[in-house]
Protein backbone atom coordinates (compact mmCIF):
# COMPACT_ATOMS: atom_id res chain seq x y z
CA UNK A 1 0.00 0.00 0.00
CA UNK A 2 1.41 3.40 -1.00
CA UNK A 3 1.72 5.97 1.75
CA UNK A 4 2.28 8.78 -0.73
CA UNK A 5 5.78 9.66 0.49
CA UNK A 6 9.28 8.97 -0.81
CA UNK A 7 11.12 6.26 1.16
CA UNK A 8 14.56 7.85 0.70
CA UNK A 9 13.20 11.13 2.04
CA UNK A 10 11.80 9.35 5.11
CA UNK A 11 15.13 7.63 5.78
CA UNK A 12 17.11 10.87 5.45
CA UNK A 13 14.69 12.76 7.68
CA UNK A 14 14.85 10.02 10.32
CA UNK A 15 18.67 10.18 10.37
CA UNK A 16 18.54 13.93 10.85
CA UNK A 17 16.06 13.63 13.70
CA UNK A 18 18.20 10.93 15.32
CA UNK A 19 21.20 13.27 15.29
CA UNK A 20 19.09 15.99 16.87
CA UNK A 21 17.85 13.67 19.63
CA UNK A 22 21.40 12.66 20.52
CA UNK A 23 22.58 16.28 20.69
CA UNK A 24 19.60 17.40 22.78
CA UNK A 25 19.62 14.52 25.26
CA UNK A 26 23.13 13.63 26.50
CA UNK A 27 21.93 12.83 30.02
CA UNK A 28 19.21 10.49 28.76
CA UNK A 29 21.78 8.80 26.53
CA UNK A 30 24.12 8.32 29.49
CA UNK A 31 21.36 6.84 31.63
CA UNK A 32 20.40 4.47 28.83
CA UNK A 33 24.00 3.33 28.48
CA UNK A 34 24.31 2.76 32.24
CA UNK A 35 21.11 0.72 32.19
CA UNK A 36 22.49 -1.66 29.58
CA UNK A 37 24.95 -3.02 32.13
CA UNK A 38 22.23 -4.97 33.94
CA UNK A 39 19.04 -4.67 31.85
CA UNK A 40 18.57 -6.08 28.34
CA UNK A 41 18.34 -3.08 26.04
CA UNK A 42 18.92 -0.84 29.05
CA UNK A 43 15.18 -0.77 29.80
CA UNK A 44 13.00 -2.38 32.49
CA UNK A 45 10.79 -4.03 29.83
CA UNK A 46 12.08 -4.92 26.37
CA UNK A 47 9.13 -3.32 24.57
CA UNK A 48 10.48 0.06 25.70
CA UNK A 49 13.14 -0.37 23.02
CA UNK A 50 10.44 0.37 20.46
CA UNK A 51 10.54 4.08 21.19
CA UNK A 52 12.09 5.83 18.16
CA UNK A 53 15.72 6.81 18.22
CA UNK A 54 18.78 5.09 19.70
CA UNK A 55 17.51 5.32 23.30
CA UNK A 56 14.28 6.17 25.12
CA UNK A 57 14.04 9.33 27.14
CA UNK A 58 14.31 8.95 30.89
CA UNK A 59 11.62 10.75 32.90
CA UNK A 60 12.43 12.71 36.04
CA UNK A 61 9.03 14.27 36.65
CA UNK A 62 5.53 13.94 35.21
CA UNK A 63 2.55 16.06 36.21
CA UNK A 64 -0.71 16.74 34.43
CA UNK A 65 -0.22 16.35 30.68
CA UNK A 66 3.53 17.06 30.67
CA UNK A 67 6.74 15.33 31.67
CA UNK A 68 10.34 16.44 32.13
CA UNK A 69 13.20 14.27 30.90
CA UNK A 70 16.61 13.81 32.51
CA UNK A 71 17.99 16.64 30.36
CA UNK A 72 15.56 19.08 31.94
CA UNK A 73 13.36 19.41 28.84
CA UNK A 74 9.60 19.60 29.28
CA UNK A 75 7.42 17.64 26.86
CA UNK A 76 3.71 17.49 26.05
CA UNK A 77 2.57 13.94 26.75
CA UNK A 78 -0.08 12.68 24.32
CA UNK A 79 0.84 9.07 25.04
CA UNK A 80 -0.14 9.23 28.71
CA UNK A 81 1.28 5.82 29.50
CA UNK A 82 -0.73 4.31 26.62
CA UNK A 83 -3.90 5.04 28.66
CA UNK A 84 -2.38 4.30 32.10
CA UNK A 85 -2.23 8.05 32.77
CA UNK A 86 -5.38 9.10 30.90
CA UNK A 87 -6.45 11.05 33.98
CA UNK A 88 -3.14 12.98 33.82
CA UNK A 89 0.06 12.32 35.71
CA UNK A 90 -0.18 12.38 39.50
CA UNK A 91 -3.63 13.97 39.88
CA UNK A 92 -3.83 15.64 43.28
CA UNK A 93 -6.78 13.66 44.73
CA UNK A 94 -5.19 10.34 43.76
CA UNK A 95 -1.81 11.36 45.18
CA UNK A 96 -3.47 12.43 48.42
CA UNK A 97 -5.30 9.11 48.71
CA UNK A 98 -2.12 7.16 48.01
CA UNK A 99 -0.18 9.10 50.65
CA UNK A 100 -2.91 8.60 53.21
CA UNK A 101 -3.24 4.88 52.57
CA UNK A 102 0.50 4.28 52.35
CA UNK A 103 0.88 5.57 55.88
CA UNK A 104 -1.68 3.14 57.31
CA UNK A 105 -1.16 -0.03 55.30
CA UNK A 106 -0.48 -1.09 51.72
CA UNK A 107 -1.81 -4.62 51.55
CA UNK A 108 -3.29 -7.12 53.99
CA UNK A 109 -5.29 -9.71 51.98
CA UNK A 110 -8.37 -8.19 53.61
CA UNK A 111 -10.90 -5.71 52.17
CA UNK A 112 -11.07 -2.03 53.00
CA UNK A 113 -14.09 0.24 52.83
CA UNK A 114 -12.84 1.63 49.51
CA UNK A 115 -13.63 -1.62 47.70
CA UNK A 116 -17.41 -1.35 48.03
CA UNK A 117 -17.33 2.31 47.00
CA UNK A 118 -15.34 1.52 43.84
CA UNK A 119 -17.61 -1.41 42.97
CA UNK A 120 -20.68 0.81 43.36
CA UNK A 121 -19.15 3.53 41.19
CA UNK A 122 -18.25 1.05 38.45
CA UNK A 123 -21.79 -0.31 38.60
CA UNK A 124 -23.14 3.22 38.16
CA UNK A 125 -20.95 3.66 35.09
CA UNK A 126 -21.26 0.25 33.43
CA UNK A 127 -24.48 -1.19 34.88
CA UNK A 128 -27.02 1.22 33.40
CA UNK A 129 -29.68 -0.36 31.16
CA UNK A 130 -29.45 -2.25 28.90
CA UNK A 131 -26.22 -3.37 30.56
CA UNK A 132 -26.59 -5.19 33.87
CA UNK A 133 -22.93 -5.49 34.86
CA UNK A 134 -23.24 -5.09 38.62
CA UNK A 135 -20.78 -7.50 40.26
CA UNK A 136 -17.06 -6.60 40.49
CA UNK A 137 -13.68 -8.06 41.40
CA UNK A 138 -10.31 -6.32 41.36
CA UNK A 139 -6.92 -7.22 39.92
CA UNK A 140 -3.61 -5.48 39.23
CA UNK A 141 -3.88 -5.41 35.43
CA UNK A 142 -6.38 -5.75 32.63
CA UNK A 143 -4.39 -8.78 31.48
CA UNK A 144 -5.24 -10.51 34.75
CA UNK A 145 -8.88 -9.48 34.51
CA UNK A 146 -9.17 -10.87 30.98
CA UNK A 147 -7.42 -14.10 31.97
CA UNK A 148 -9.71 -14.58 34.95
CA UNK A 149 -12.88 -14.01 32.95
CA UNK A 150 -11.82 -16.54 30.32
CA UNK A 151 -11.25 -19.12 33.05
CA UNK A 152 -14.62 -18.32 34.62
CA UNK A 153 -16.32 -18.62 31.23
CA UNK A 154 -14.80 -22.03 30.63
CA UNK A 155 -15.79 -23.07 34.15
CA UNK A 156 -19.47 -22.17 33.87
CA UNK A 157 -20.00 -23.26 30.26
CA UNK A 158 -17.87 -26.42 30.28
CA UNK A 159 -16.59 -25.39 26.86
CA UNK A 160 -12.96 -25.21 25.71
CA UNK A 161 -12.77 -22.56 22.98
CA UNK A 162 -12.37 -18.78 23.00
CA UNK A 163 -13.14 -16.43 20.11
CA UNK A 164 -11.03 -13.30 19.62
CA UNK A 165 -10.75 -10.71 16.86
CA UNK A 166 -7.99 -10.80 14.24
CA UNK A 167 -5.17 -8.44 15.31
CA UNK A 168 -6.69 -7.88 18.74
CA UNK A 169 -4.68 -7.13 21.85
CA UNK A 170 -5.83 -7.93 25.39
CA UNK A 171 -2.56 -7.74 27.28
CA UNK A 172 -0.47 -10.89 27.63
CA UNK A 173 -3.44 -13.27 27.40
CA UNK A 174 -2.18 -16.41 25.65
CA UNK A 175 -5.43 -17.09 23.83
CA UNK A 176 -5.38 -13.64 22.21
CA UNK A 177 -1.98 -13.95 20.51
CA UNK A 178 -3.58 -15.51 17.46
CA UNK A 179 -4.35 -14.23 14.01
CA UNK A 180 -5.55 -15.51 10.65
CA UNK A 181 -3.17 -16.76 7.99
CA UNK A 182 -3.31 -15.79 4.35
CA UNK A 183 -5.76 -18.00 2.42
CA UNK A 184 -4.38 -21.39 1.42
CA UNK A 185 -4.97 -23.09 -1.94
CA UNK A 186 -8.59 -23.77 -0.99
CA UNK A 187 -9.18 -20.22 0.18
CA UNK A 188 -9.19 -21.24 3.85
CA UNK A 189 -7.59 -19.02 6.48
CA UNK A 190 -6.15 -20.81 9.50
CA UNK A 191 -5.49 -19.73 13.10
CA UNK A 192 -1.77 -19.11 13.54
CA UNK A 193 0.42 -17.42 16.19
CA UNK A 194 0.55 -13.68 15.77
CA UNK A 195 3.91 -12.48 14.44
CA UNK A 196 6.25 -11.78 17.35
CA UNK A 197 4.51 -14.15 19.76
CA UNK A 198 7.03 -15.59 22.24
CA UNK A 199 6.89 -19.03 23.82
CA UNK A 200 3.23 -19.86 23.32
CA UNK A 201 2.31 -22.73 25.69
CA UNK A 202 0.23 -24.50 23.03
CA UNK A 203 -0.57 -23.72 19.39
CA UNK A 204 -3.30 -21.05 19.46
CA UNK A 205 -5.48 -23.16 17.17
CA UNK A 206 -6.03 -25.49 20.16
CA UNK A 207 -7.59 -22.76 22.29
CA UNK A 208 -8.78 -20.04 19.98
CA UNK A 209 -10.92 -19.21 16.99
CA UNK A 210 -10.15 -15.93 15.24
CA UNK A 211 -12.63 -13.79 13.35
CA UNK A 212 -12.22 -10.44 11.57
CA UNK A 213 -13.76 -7.42 13.26
CA UNK A 214 -17.08 -6.33 11.70
CA UNK A 215 -17.59 -9.79 10.14
CA UNK A 216 -20.89 -11.15 11.46
CA UNK A 217 -20.85 -14.23 9.20
CA UNK A 218 -17.40 -15.25 10.42
CA UNK A 219 -18.49 -14.94 14.03
CA UNK A 220 -21.62 -16.99 13.39
CA UNK A 221 -19.48 -19.73 11.83
CA UNK A 222 -17.04 -19.66 14.75
CA UNK A 223 -19.88 -20.10 17.24
CA UNK A 224 -21.84 -22.68 15.29
CA UNK A 225 -20.25 -25.78 16.84
CA UNK A 226 -21.44 -24.81 20.32
CA UNK A 227 -18.01 -25.28 21.91
CA UNK A 228 -17.11 -21.61 22.51
CA UNK A 229 -16.96 -20.48 26.13
CA UNK A 230 -16.42 -16.78 25.49
CA UNK A 231 -16.05 -14.06 22.90
CA UNK A 232 -13.48 -11.49 24.01
CA UNK A 233 -13.32 -8.21 22.10
CA UNK A 234 -12.87 -4.47 22.33
CA UNK A 235 -16.03 -2.63 21.25
CA UNK A 236 -13.75 -0.64 18.95
CA UNK A 237 -10.29 -1.91 18.13
CA UNK A 238 -7.56 0.37 19.50
CA UNK A 239 -4.28 -1.53 19.41
CA UNK A 240 -3.84 -1.80 15.64
CA UNK A 241 -5.01 1.74 15.11
CA UNK A 242 -8.62 2.63 15.78
CA UNK A 243 -11.13 0.43 13.94
CA UNK A 244 -14.73 1.41 14.61
CA UNK A 245 -17.68 -0.99 14.58
CA UNK A 246 -20.06 -0.80 11.65
CA UNK A 247 -23.74 -0.07 12.39
CA UNK A 248 -25.41 -3.16 13.81
CA UNK A 249 -22.21 -5.15 14.30
CA UNK A 250 -22.11 -5.10 18.10
CA UNK A 251 -25.84 -5.84 18.26
CA UNK A 252 -25.18 -8.91 16.10
CA UNK A 253 -22.33 -9.99 18.37
CA UNK A 254 -24.65 -9.80 21.37
CA UNK A 255 -27.42 -11.69 19.59
CA UNK A 256 -25.12 -14.48 18.39
CA UNK A 257 -23.36 -14.96 21.74
CA UNK A 258 -26.67 -15.06 23.58
CA UNK A 259 -28.17 -17.54 21.10
CA UNK A 260 -25.18 -19.90 21.32
CA UNK A 261 -24.57 -19.55 25.07
CA UNK A 262 -21.12 -17.95 24.81
CA UNK A 263 -20.09 -15.38 27.42
CA UNK A 264 -19.59 -11.93 25.87
CA UNK A 265 -16.61 -10.11 27.43
CA UNK A 266 -16.09 -6.46 26.46
CA UNK A 267 -12.59 -5.17 27.15
CA UNK A 268 -12.95 -1.43 27.85
CA UNK A 269 -9.35 -0.86 28.97
CA UNK A 270 -8.65 1.56 26.12
CA UNK A 271 -12.19 2.39 25.09
CA UNK A 272 -12.89 4.05 28.43
CA UNK A 273 -11.88 7.10 26.38
CA UNK A 274 -15.41 7.04 24.90
CA UNK A 275 -16.93 8.27 28.17
CA UNK A 276 -17.34 7.58 31.89
CA UNK A 277 -18.69 4.08 31.20
CA UNK A 278 -16.72 3.45 28.04
CA UNK A 279 -18.49 2.25 24.92
CA UNK A 280 -20.75 0.06 27.06
CA UNK A 281 -22.56 3.13 28.38
CA UNK A 282 -22.01 5.45 25.41
CA UNK A 283 -23.37 2.96 22.87
CA UNK A 284 -25.87 1.10 25.06
CA UNK A 285 -24.12 -2.29 25.01
CA UNK A 286 -25.25 -5.29 27.05
CA UNK A 287 -22.26 -7.57 27.72
CA UNK A 288 -22.03 -10.43 30.19
CA UNK A 289 -18.73 -9.09 31.49
CA UNK A 290 -16.59 -5.96 31.27
CA UNK A 291 -12.87 -5.41 31.84
CA UNK A 292 -11.48 -2.00 32.68
CA UNK A 293 -7.90 -1.31 33.69
CA UNK A 294 -4.90 0.99 33.48
CA UNK A 295 -6.26 4.46 34.06
CA UNK A 296 -8.77 3.70 36.83
CA UNK A 297 -5.94 3.61 39.39
CA UNK A 298 -4.52 6.96 38.34
CA UNK A 299 -1.20 5.29 37.52
CA UNK A 300 -1.17 2.71 40.32
CA UNK A 301 -1.48 -0.86 38.94
CA UNK A 302 -5.19 -1.60 39.11
CA UNK A 303 -7.99 -3.16 37.07
CA UNK A 304 -11.48 -4.52 37.51
CA UNK A 305 -13.62 -7.25 36.02
CA UNK A 306 -17.37 -6.88 36.17
CA UNK A 307 -20.11 -9.40 35.45
CA UNK A 308 -23.87 -9.58 35.46
CA UNK A 309 -25.47 -10.90 38.62
CA UNK A 310 -26.49 -14.03 36.71
CA UNK A 311 -22.94 -14.79 35.61
CA UNK A 312 -21.63 -14.02 39.11
CA UNK A 313 -24.14 -16.49 40.55
CA UNK A 314 -23.15 -19.17 38.04
CA UNK A 315 -19.48 -18.67 38.89
CA UNK A 316 -20.13 -18.83 42.64
CA UNK A 317 -22.25 -21.97 42.31
CA UNK A 318 -19.43 -23.73 40.43
CA UNK A 319 -16.72 -23.08 43.02
CA UNK A 320 -16.02 -24.91 46.27
CA UNK A 321 -14.97 -22.62 49.12
CA UNK A 322 -12.24 -25.04 50.15
CA UNK A 323 -10.55 -24.68 46.75
CA UNK A 324 -11.36 -21.08 45.92
CA UNK A 325 -7.76 -19.92 46.35
CA UNK A 326 -6.15 -22.41 43.94
CA UNK A 327 -8.35 -22.01 40.86
CA UNK A 328 -5.97 -19.84 38.88
CA UNK A 329 -7.91 -16.63 39.57
CA UNK A 330 -6.57 -13.86 41.76
CA UNK A 331 -3.23 -13.05 43.31
CA UNK A 332 -1.87 -12.17 46.72
CA UNK A 333 -1.69 -8.46 45.89
CA UNK A 334 -4.95 -8.29 43.92
CA UNK A 335 -7.50 -5.93 45.45
CA UNK A 336 -4.91 -4.47 47.81
CA UNK A 337 -5.62 -1.45 49.98
CA UNK A 338 -3.37 0.94 48.06
CA UNK A 339 -4.83 0.20 44.63
CA UNK A 340 -8.41 0.45 45.92
CA UNK A 341 -7.67 3.80 47.56
CA UNK A 342 -6.20 5.04 44.27
CA UNK A 343 -9.19 3.75 42.29
CA UNK A 344 -11.69 5.39 44.65
CA UNK A 345 -10.03 8.79 44.39
CA UNK A 346 -9.47 8.56 40.64
CA UNK A 347 -13.00 7.49 39.78
CA UNK A 348 -14.85 9.79 42.18
CA UNK A 349 -12.65 12.90 42.07
CA UNK A 350 -10.53 12.91 38.89
CA UNK A 351 -11.93 10.95 35.95
CA UNK A 352 -15.47 12.08 36.65
CA UNK A 353 -18.33 12.35 34.17
CA UNK A 354 -17.91 16.09 33.73
CA UNK A 355 -14.30 15.98 32.44
CA UNK A 356 -15.01 13.89 29.36
CA UNK A 357 -16.62 16.57 27.14
CA UNK A 358 -13.50 18.77 27.27
CA UNK A 359 -11.23 15.76 26.69
CA UNK A 360 -13.28 14.77 23.65
CA UNK A 361 -13.25 18.34 22.34
CA UNK A 362 -9.47 18.40 22.50
CA UNK A 363 -9.26 15.07 20.68
CA UNK A 364 -11.45 16.60 17.99
CA UNK A 365 -9.15 19.62 17.85
CA UNK A 366 -6.15 17.31 17.47
CA UNK A 367 -7.87 15.32 14.72
CA UNK A 368 -8.95 18.49 12.89
CA UNK A 369 -5.39 19.80 12.99
CA UNK A 370 -3.93 16.59 11.61
CA UNK A 371 -6.67 16.35 8.99
CA UNK A 372 -5.95 19.88 7.77
CA UNK A 373 -2.28 19.02 7.22
CA UNK A 374 -3.13 15.77 5.45
CA UNK A 375 -5.55 17.60 3.15
CA UNK A 376 -3.10 20.41 2.42
CA UNK A 377 -0.52 17.92 1.17
CA UNK A 378 -3.06 15.54 -0.43
CA UNK A 379 -1.65 12.64 1.56
CA UNK A 380 -3.58 9.33 1.23
CA UNK A 381 -4.01 9.08 5.01
CA UNK A 382 -7.01 9.19 7.32
CA UNK A 383 -7.84 10.26 10.88
CA UNK A 384 -10.14 8.31 13.22
CA UNK A 385 -11.70 9.56 16.46
CA UNK A 386 -13.01 7.74 19.51
CA UNK A 387 -13.97 10.00 22.39
CA UNK A 388 -10.81 11.39 23.98
CA UNK A 389 -8.62 9.36 21.60
CA UNK A 390 -7.68 10.09 17.98
CA UNK A 391 -5.24 8.57 15.52
CA UNK A 392 -3.95 8.95 12.00
CA UNK A 393 -2.97 6.07 9.73
CA UNK A 394 -1.43 5.65 6.31
CA UNK A 395 -4.43 4.74 4.15
CA UNK A 396 -7.03 6.87 2.47
CA UNK A 397 -9.99 4.98 3.95
CA UNK A 398 -10.65 3.92 7.51
CA UNK A 399 -10.09 0.16 7.88
CA UNK A 400 -12.95 -2.25 8.38
CA UNK A 401 -10.92 -4.82 10.34
CA UNK A 402 -7.55 -5.44 11.92
CA UNK A 403 -5.95 -6.92 8.80
CA UNK A 404 -6.75 -3.79 6.80
CA UNK A 405 -5.36 -1.64 9.62
CA UNK A 406 -2.17 -3.73 9.76
CA UNK A 407 -1.73 -3.48 6.00
CA UNK A 408 -1.84 0.31 6.27
CA UNK A 409 1.03 0.44 8.75
CA UNK A 410 4.47 1.73 7.76
CA UNK A 411 6.89 1.26 10.62
CA UNK A 412 9.80 3.42 9.31
CA UNK A 413 7.42 6.27 8.47
CA UNK A 414 5.79 5.94 11.88
CA UNK A 415 9.17 6.01 13.59
CA UNK A 416 10.13 9.18 11.76
CA UNK A 417 6.92 10.99 12.62
CA UNK A 418 7.18 9.99 16.27
CA UNK A 419 10.82 11.00 16.57
CA UNK A 420 10.18 14.27 14.75
CA UNK A 421 7.37 15.08 17.19
CA UNK A 422 9.51 14.07 20.16
CA UNK A 423 12.23 16.48 19.06
CA UNK A 424 9.53 19.19 19.05
CA UNK A 425 8.72 18.18 22.65
CA UNK A 426 5.58 16.15 21.92
CA UNK A 427 5.24 12.47 22.84
CA UNK A 428 2.97 10.01 20.99
CA UNK A 429 2.46 6.36 21.90
CA UNK A 430 5.29 4.26 20.38
CA UNK A 431 3.06 1.51 18.97
CA UNK A 432 0.87 3.53 16.61
CA UNK A 433 -0.03 7.14 15.82
CA UNK A 434 -2.39 7.67 18.72
CA UNK A 435 -2.98 10.78 20.81
CA UNK A 436 -4.91 10.65 24.07
CA UNK A 437 -6.31 13.59 25.99
CA UNK A 438 -6.40 13.95 29.77
CA UNK A 439 -8.36 16.42 31.90
CA UNK A 440 -5.12 18.42 32.10
CA UNK A 441 -4.45 18.57 28.34
CA UNK A 442 -4.79 22.07 26.89
CA UNK A 443 -5.45 23.54 23.45
CA UNK A 444 -1.83 24.69 23.43
CA UNK A 445 -0.68 21.10 23.97
CA UNK A 446 -2.77 19.97 21.01
CA UNK A 447 -1.58 22.81 18.81
CA UNK A 448 2.05 21.94 19.56
CA UNK A 449 1.48 18.59 17.89
CA UNK A 450 -0.30 20.16 14.92
CA UNK A 451 2.67 22.47 14.35
CA UNK A 452 5.14 19.59 14.56
CA UNK A 453 3.03 17.43 12.26
CA UNK A 454 2.81 20.24 9.70
CA UNK A 455 6.58 20.66 9.74
CA UNK A 456 7.06 16.90 9.25
CA UNK A 457 4.62 16.84 6.35
CA UNK A 458 6.50 19.71 4.72
CA UNK A 459 9.73 17.68 4.96
CA UNK A 460 8.05 14.60 3.48
CA UNK A 461 6.67 16.71 0.65
CA UNK A 462 10.11 18.16 -0.06
CA UNK A 463 8.92 21.68 0.70
Amino acid sequence: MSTGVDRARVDAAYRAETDRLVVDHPRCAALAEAGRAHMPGGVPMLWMEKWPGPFPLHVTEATGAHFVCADGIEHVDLCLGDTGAMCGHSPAPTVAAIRKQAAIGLTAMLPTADAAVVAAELTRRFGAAPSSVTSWQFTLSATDANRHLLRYARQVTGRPKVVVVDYCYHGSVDESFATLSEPDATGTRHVVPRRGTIGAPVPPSETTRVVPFNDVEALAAALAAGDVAAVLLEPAMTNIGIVLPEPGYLDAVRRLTRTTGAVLIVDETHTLCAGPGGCTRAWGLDPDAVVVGKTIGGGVPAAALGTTADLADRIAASLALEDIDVGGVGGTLAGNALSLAAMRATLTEVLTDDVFPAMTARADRWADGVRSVIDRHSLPWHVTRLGARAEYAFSAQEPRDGAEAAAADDFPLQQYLHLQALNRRVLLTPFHNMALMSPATTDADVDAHTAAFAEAADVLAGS
Side-chain angles (χ1 to χ4, degrees):
M1 181 178 293
S2 173
T3 59
V5 299
D6 179 76
R7 175 62 59 208
R9 190 170 288 151
V10 173
D11 293 344
Y14 185 76
R15 289 193 296 271
E17 295 297 338
T18 298
D19 292 342
R20 177 170 172 170
L21 182 83
V22 171
V23 169
D24 286 353
H25 297 281
R27 179 60 180 157
C28 288
L31 289 171
E33 182 59 31
R36 292 187 184 100
H38 301 291
M39 294 184 292
V43 288
M45 285 297 292
L46 272 175
W47 52 258
M48 292 184 185
E49 284 197 290
K50 201 168 182 177
W51 289 102
F55 51 83
L57 300 191
H58 282 60
V59 177
T60 58
E61 179 182 351
T63 55
H66 290 201
F67 75 91
V68 178
C69 74
D71 291 282
I73 301 171
E74 185 172 346
H75 298 73
V76 174
D77 189 355
L78 297 177
C79 172
L80 294 172
D82 196 24
T83 303
M86 190 174 82
C87 57
H89 295 290
S90 298
T94 305
V95 171
I98 291 170
R99 284 176 174 158
K100 180 180 178 181
Q101 188 62 49
I104 58 176
L106 302 176
T107 188
M109 288 184 68
L110 289 166
T112 62
D114 289 332
V117 175
V118 174
E121 172 63 12
L122 290 170
T123 295
R124 183 189 71 82
R125 292 173 180 238
F126 290 94
S131 173
S132 55
V133 174
T134 58
S135 182
W136 295 88
Q137 294 277 274
F138 300 101
T139 67
L140 296 180
S141 71
T143 291
D144 287 342
N146 281 317
R147 282 194 190 117
H148 299 346
L149 280 172
L150 291 182
R151 295 180 76 92
Y152 283 143
R154 286 191 171 112
Q155 173 76 0
V156 300
T157 65
R159 299 173 177 182
K161 294 286 188 177
V162 170
V163 169
V164 300
V165 167
D166 195 25
Y167 285 97
C168 69
Y169 185 79
H170 297 284
S172 53
V173 175
D174 289 323
E175 293 93 335
S176 68
F177 285 105
T179 191
L180 292 171
S181 69
E182 292 298 315
D184 62 17
T186 69
T188 303
R189 301 177 71 188
H190 300 278
V191 175
V192 295
R194 185 167 177 176
R195 194 184 80 185
T197 302
I198 296 171
V202 298
S205 57
E206 293 186 16
T207 61
T208 306
R209 294 201 180 106
V210 179
V211 297
F213 197 65
N214 281 320
D215 192 330
V216 176
E217 290 185 4
L219 178 60
L223 295 172
D227 59 352
V228 171
V231 174
L232 170 63
L233 84 169
E234 291 184 293
M237 299 186 75
T238 65
N239 279 285
I240 190 68
I242 299 172
V243 182
L244 299 175
E246 294 177 342
Y249 171 66
L250 294 175
D251 290 336
V253 172
R254 175 66 284 186
R255 183 177 65 256
L256 287 167
T257 50
R258 186 164 281 143
T259 299
T260 58
V263 175
L264 175 57
I265 305 168
V266 171
D267 185 349
E268 293 267 22
T269 300
H270 276 186
T271 53
L272 186 61
C273 65
C279 293
T280 296
R281 177 167 158 185
W283 298 346
L285 307 182
D286 186 20
D288 298 304
V290 165
V291 167
V292 60
K294 291 191 178 181
T295 197
I296 65 171
V300 171
L305 55 114
T307 69
T308 63
D310 175 68
L311 180 55
D313 288 344
R314 292 169 65 194
I315 292 168
S318 71
L319 303 176
L321 181 62
E322 182 179 355
D323 303 320
I324 207 164
D325 59 327
V326 293
V329 172
T332 304
L333 293 174
N336 69 72
L338 184 68
S339 66
L340 265 299
M343 279 189 272
R344 178 175 182 170
T346 301
L347 290 172
T348 62
E349 300 182 64
V350 182
L351 205 64
T352 53
D353 293 24
D354 61 332
V355 303
F356 279 89
M359 292 163 62
T360 299
R362 293 205 167 90
D364 287 342
R365 184 185 183 96
W366 185 92
D368 290 342
V370 171
R371 179 80 259 169
S372 69
V373 174
I374 290 172
D375 289 346
R376 185 165 69 250
H377 289 281
S378 299
L379 291 166
W381 303 355
H382 71 269
V383 183
T384 310
R385 310 161 196 241
L386 179 65
R389 182 186 304 268
E391 186 152 3
Y392 63 85
F394 310 124
S395 63
Q397 302 298 322
E398 292 188 14
R400 183 173 184 265
D401 57 35
E404 288 184 8
D409 193 23
D410 185 320
F411 186 65
L413 177 57
Q414 180 188 97
Q415 289 271 291
Y416 161 66
L417 288 164
H418 287 211
L419 185 57
Q420 189 270 356
L422 187 63
N423 280 332
R424 275 77 182 166
R425 318 314 183 208
V426 179
L427 184 75
L428 294 169
T429 182
F431 310 123
H432 33 93
N433 309 309
M434 185 272 292
L436 184 63
M437 307 300 143
S438 77
T441 305
T442 66
D443 287 349
D445 295 334
V446 171
D447 294 345
H449 175 266
T450 303
F453 188 72
E455 182 183 340
D458 287 343
V459 170
L460 294 175
S463 56

